[in-house]
Amino acid sequence: MSRPSLVFAAPRRALPPSHLADLDPAARRATVRELGLPAFRADQLSRHWFARLEADPDRMSDLPAGERGRLREALLPQLLTEVRSVETDAGTTRKTLWRLHDGSLVESVLMRYPARVTVCISSQAGCGMACPFCATGQGGLTRNLSTAEIVAQVQASARAAADGLLTGAPARLSNVVFMGMGEPLANYARVVAALRRLIDPPPAGLGLSRRSITVSTVGVVPAIDKLAAEDLDVTLAVSLHAPDDELRDTLVPVNTRWKVREVLAAADGYAARTGRRYSVEYAMIREVNDQPERADLLADLLAPRRAHVNLIPLNRTPGSAWDASPKRVEREFVRRLEARGVPVTVRDTRGSDINGACGQLAASG
Ligand code: SAH
């Protein structure tokens, strides 16, 4: 069998025009000055976009009408066009398909829980990591998203939540997970800039709390090390899916480059910096990675570490013969981890009936 090829370098496709959310506050002011406008216009735009979640210059009444066109063109081009949104889970889960300036499609999923509102966002159009159980991985990589395309998914979702589009009352977006399409650490510089925009207090950024942001990775070891040194302190999640290299080589092909032991060592280094646990994601695939021996092996690996296991019942993807593990097998897996003191949670399967759950995002228009 030929190995799926990993794609780290995204195809050279045009990134979208520059946007407010690509820039830090100083660069925003510089752009406005180059237009021959007073620098404080940049601060006004930032307040509208990041603090009031307003994206349309025509509704920014403190901007002179004669300047709006220029400001829109230079700093607020429309990056995301909503193609459609689908709801499920009694209106508490909402998946949105977005078209980008070049026709690429990406998805984000907004979810309301009793104590939080989370958006799951994409960092690339497609993905080059080729995991065989993931629909996004099967489609290959189209291109990296720009910083603003990443941040705009969060801004639009925060707006949707504030407008009461999720069942219940208007709500404040609290959590962001980089678990949509793409491998965030393969689009490193733009993802890090996006993280800063998410964390910076308004009007520089959206002012989300660091620990309520989770970056999930297949285990790009040098990038995990680099992220640790950025002092961002966001939560790290590692998609492990197997405790042994032999099986992980087939489930997460990047393992042929960085082994289980190296990935966990990098995650340990990250946790040592933040002082907090990282998550280990483990999709439970029937008779593939769900055996009691593998539970024990995983427990032995993780017991001495600052890690928390998040089991994900496998979501079905087109063309795959794999199934989720039976509940009985899942319970035994949990029991074995807990018996060795490893904290475990089982992730809910939000959005699976609208192909909006983990590994189901494929953005077919
Ligand atoms: N590329 C990053 C971000 C994607 S996160 C990463 O892999 O971590 C999406 C999470 O869902 C990952 O843990 C991924 O392995 C998992 N996943 C992918 N396909 C899945 C499926 N069919 N069922 C359940 N989880 C899946």
Side-chain angles (χ1 to χ4, degrees):
M1 196 179 92
S2 68
R3 278 201 193 293
S5 52
L6 294 167
V7 182
F8 283 95
R12 285 185 173 278
R13 290 188 49 162
L15 284 179
S18 167
H19 182 281
L20 189 73
D22 287 310
L23 308 174
D24 65 23
R28 293 172 205 167
R29 281 183 212 115
T31 305
V32 167
R33 265 191 242 104
E34 280 161 27
L35 294 175
L37 301 175
F40 68 84
R41 293 278 179 250
D43 303 328
Q44 286 177 305
L45 286 185
S46 297
R47 266 196 302 280
H48 281 292
W49 204 84
F50 287 97
R52 297 190 192 120
L53 307 174
E54 177 57 67
D56 181 358
D58 286 336
R59 284 199 289 263
M60 302 177 181
S61 55
D62 54 353
L63 298 181
E67 293 178 12
R68 286 183 197 161
R70 268 184 293 165
L71 288 168
R72 180 196 295 276
E73 202 180 326
L75 284 163
L76 291 174
Q78 186 173 348
L79 298 178
L80 308 180
T81 305
E82 183 172 331
V83 178
R84 66 172 165 305
S85 289
V86 194
E87 286 179 8
T88 184
D89 302 322
T92 57
T93 301
R94 182 182 163 88
K95 177 175 88 163
T96 302
L97 177 66
W98 305 102
R99 186 179 317 103
L100 310 180
H101 81 112
D102 61 348
S104 300
L105 298 169
V106 297
E107 292 178 311
S108 63
V109 185
L110 184 58
M111 293 161 281
R112 182 182 198 129
Y113 295 88
R116 64 181 196 277
V117 175
T118 300
V119 66
C120 175
I121 57 166
S122 298
S123 55
Q124 298 181 308
C127 186
M129 298 296 111
C131 303
F133 56 94
C134 176
T136 312
Q138 295 314 292
L141 178 62
T142 303
R143 70 164 168 88
N144 283 323
L145 299 194
S146 70
T147 295
E149 284 171 327
I150 297 169
V151 180
Q153 293 170 63
V154 180
Q155 194 258 12
S157 303
R159 180 64 198 246
D163 283 348
L165 292 188
L166 291 170
T167 302
R172 199 178 157 277
L173 180 81
S174 55
N175 293 61
V176 176
V177 296
F178 283 73
M179 295 187 187
M181 302 170 74
E183 166 51 42
L185 298 188
N187 185 14
Y188 186 86
R190 296 180 191 94
V191 165
V192 165
L195 291 170
R196 297 197 193 287
R197 295 295 106 72
L198 299 184
I199 292 165
D200 284 348
L206 287 166
L208 294 164
S209 103
R210 296 163 184 267
R211 59 179 56 200
S212 64
I213 300 173
T214 301
V215 173
S216 179
T217 177
V218 289
V220 184
V221 165
I224 297 174
D225 294 343
K226 218 164 136 194
L227 189 68
E230 305 273 358
D231 261 344
L232 283 161
D233 289 352
V234 294
T235 301
L236 180 72
V238 173
S239 294
L240 201 65
H241 306 309
D244 54 306
D245 288 319
E246 195 185 348
L247 179 59
R248 194 169 190 266
D249 280 350
T250 66
L251 293 180
V252 187
V254 79
N255 198 70
T256 56
R257 204 171 299 189
W258 295 289
K259 299 294 172 198
V260 169
R261 154 179 72 69
E262 296 170 274
V263 172
L264 293 179
D268 290 343
Y270 190 89
R273 298 268 321 204
T274 61
R276 283 184 293 119
R277 287 181 189 281
Y278 56 92
S279 313
V280 167
E281 294 161 276
Y282 199 101
M284 291 289 284
I285 315 176
R286 179 180 201 154
E287 287 166 21
V288 172
N289 66 351
D290 62 355
Q291 304 82 355
E293 312 83 75
R294 283 212 163 79
D296 291 347
L297 206 55
L298 183 65
D300 290 343
L301 270 182
L302 299 183
R305 312 186 118 95
R306 264 193 239 230
H308 159 277
V309 176
N310 199 209
L311 294 182
I312 317 175
L314 186 79
N315 294 303
R316 295 300 308 262
T317 59
S320 161
W322 285 331
D323 260 322
S325 306
K327 281 291 154 198
R328 175 181 47 78
V329 172
E330 185 183 283
R331 276 195 297 273
E332 178 61 11
F333 206 92
V334 169
R335 194 189 66 76
R336 284 176 182 257
L337 288 170
E338 285 178 341
R340 287 172 170 71
V342 177
V344 198
T345 47
V346 178
R347 186 177 295 174
D348 66 12
T349 49
R350 280 288 183 111
S352 57
D353 55 336
I354 52 168
N355 287 337
C358 307
Q360 293 184 313
L361 303 184
S364 42

